[in-house]
Amino acid sequence: MPDGVTARLHIDVKLGDVRLPGESSKDFHFGTDQEQTVTLPATGLKKGEKPHGTLDLDLKVGAGQVAVERGTPAEASPSPSSPPPPSTPSPSSQDKGEHQ
């Protein structure tokens, strides 16, 4: 889950475990028919900053584990919306256009 967003989780696990942020993999509580609704407050906000919205997640698992984790920001990775750097034509392709 991204930082700065409140999350409301509706969890339904028929056979298995639910692990929320702050719990380790050693906190495994095997159970059956676990249904719960949990609200996780936004994290990573500056003082006085309000959450950037609420994310509603419906998580259903027949057998296994639901693990909810907060994401860590990527370090200086290029934005997917930024255009690629312009390419320069190779000398051979420039020559072909000049000699006709």
Side-chain angles (χ1 to χ4, degrees):
M1 296 181 326
D3 274 342
V5 176
T6 299
R8 191 169 27 242
L9 312 171
H10 309 281
I11 304 168
D12 181 5
V13 177
K14 295 300 177 196
L15 180 65
D17 180 49
V18 175
R19 188 176 55 177
L20 299 174
E23 297 178 348
S24 75
S25 59
K26 295 177 183 179
D27 294 330
F28 189 81
H29 300 97
F30 183 80
T32 59
D33 295 321
Q34 299 179 61
E35 287 188 45
Q36 58 183 307
T37 298
V38 179
T39 300
L40 301 174
T43 59
L45 297 173
K46 296 176 185 168
K47 186 175 181 176
E49 185 178 12
K50 294 184 179 183
H52 305 292
T54 300
L55 183 63
D56 278 309
L57 297 174
D58 290 321
L59 307 170
K60 296 181 181 191
V61 174
Q65 182 182 46
V66 171
V68 180
E69 298 178 4
R70 290 275 181 193
T72 56
E75 289 185 32
S77 61
S79 165
S81 61
S82 61
S87 61
T88 56
S90 66
S92 61
S93 65
Q94 286 178 346
D95 290 343
K96 289 179 184 176
E98 292 175 6
H99 303 290
Q100 290 185 5

